[in-house]
Amino acid sequence: YGSSIEVVMGDLLASGSDLASLSLPSLWNVTGGVTISSNDDLTEVSLPALEVIGGDLYVYNNQNNDFTSFNMSALRRVDGYVNIYHNVYMRWQGLPALEEVGGDFQIRYSPYYRNNYDDDESPGDFGSLRSIGGGLEVEYNRMSSTLDMSQLETVGEQLEIVQNDGLTDVQLPLLNSTGAYLKIYDNEALSSLDISSLSAVNSEGWSSTCSGSGNTEDVCIYDNDLESSRTSVQALAASAI
């Protein structure tokens, strides 16, 4: 009967199960949260019509080597947090229709940064995202060569892009402000970074230590492959403080 479900009033939970496939092709609205966690046999998540999540989206600790399909291609809005964490073999491309996240947006170890995956198996497509109410953290992932957040304008708290293998290009050309600090470091292949519209960093006055210097700094950009452009990017970000 799952194929006919269009709305879930409340939470959708798939946790600690022997589920191999979570497929709800007609589901377009979940008024509460969505949690998909600790399903050791999970190989597929197919929610292609889902547009709105009224709570949080949590996808974590799904550790099957064959977790090769993840489709939330119509998801436009998450009112709470997005936390995609520790799905070390997960193959996916991103959330291409996502426009708004009310809380934090976090992707970590999904997939694990040392996995040798191709671009079409690795996340990078977030090209519709316009606003994040909390922080943005993209850390310790095997990424597509391009992280496309080309429509993102505001991040309400911190922005951290840290140790993502395969990542060569970060597109944030419309980003104008972050409420907290900005950290972009240890992305060894990152050679292009567009933050050309950034005008305000750490408007909320958060305190953070930069691992590269050991000092308290609002902007921390180091150990990427930005070469000659690193100084101008650092200066642009610093001028926004």
Side-chain angles (χ1 to χ4, degrees):
Y1 66 90
S3 62
S4 64
I5 296 174
E6 296 185 0
V7 178
V8 172
M9 301 296 293
D11 298 330
L12 174 62
L13 174 65
S15 183
S17 75
D18 59 2
L19 196 67
S21 175
L22 175 61
S23 180
L24 296 168
S26 300
L27 180 66
W28 68 274
N29 185 10
V30 177
T31 64
V34 174
T35 300
I36 303 167
S37 66
S38 303
N39 301 290
D40 291 342
D41 298 322
L42 189 66
T43 63
E44 176 191 34
V45 173
S46 181
L47 303 173
L50 182 61
E51 296 185 21
V52 179
I53 297 174
D56 303 321
L57 171 62
Y58 286 110
V59 182
Y60 64 92
N61 289 343
N62 300 287
Q63 303 292 18
N64 195 313
N65 290 8
D66 295 319
F67 187 7
T68 59
S69 180
F70 181 88
N71 183 358
M72 292 188 182
S73 58
L75 185 63
R76 296 184 296 104
R77 193 182 84 227
V78 178
D79 290 343
Y81 290 11
V82 173
N83 191 332
I84 300 175
Y85 173 75
H86 213 256
N87 307 282
V88 298
Y89 304 108
M90 180 180 179
R91 294 166 176 83
W92 63 307
Q93 289 77 49
L95 296 168
L98 186 63
E99 298 176 4
E100 300 176 45
V101 176
D104 293 339
F105 184 22
Q106 302 171 332
I107 305 171
R108 294 194 183 102
Y109 300 102
S110 295
Y112 181 62
Y113 66 98
R114 294 301 187 196
N115 290 350
N116 189 25
Y117 290 169
D118 294 332
D119 266 16
D120 62 0
E121 301 175 305
S122 308
D125 187 356
F126 305 94
S128 299
L129 188 60
R130 294 185 288 105
S131 66
I132 298 172
L136 169 62
E137 298 177 4
V138 181
E139 301 176 324
Y140 312 112
N141 304 287
R142 174 68 188 193
M143 298 294 292
S144 174
S145 57
T146 297
L147 176 58
D148 179 4
M149 293 188 169
S150 54
Q151 300 302 308
L152 184 61
E153 297 180 3
T154 60
V155 175
E157 296 178 357
Q158 78 279 10
L159 186 156
E160 299 187 57
I161 301 173
V162 177
Q163 199 164 339
N164 297 285
D165 278 16
L167 183 63
T168 63
D169 180 27
V170 173
Q171 287 294 313
L172 292 163
L174 300 184
L175 181 68
N176 58 60
S177 66
T178 69
Y181 50 82
L182 183 151
K183 294 184 177 183
I184 301 173
Y185 63 88
D186 285 350
N187 305 284
E188 294 180 354
L190 180 61
S191 57
S192 177
L193 170 63
D194 188 346
I195 52 171
S196 53
S197 296
L198 192 63
S199 61
V201 172
N202 202 11
S203 59
E204 301 296 323
W206 287 37
S207 178
S208 176
T209 300
C210 179
S211 304
S213 66
N215 298 324
T216 299
E217 299 181 27
D218 293 329
V219 174
C220 187
I221 300 175
Y222 70 94
D223 282 354
N224 304 293
D225 189 29
L226 294 169
E227 297 180 349
S228 60
S229 66
R230 183 185 65 82
T231 300
S232 61
V233 166
Q234 183 91 24
L236 175 65
S239 70
I241 298 171

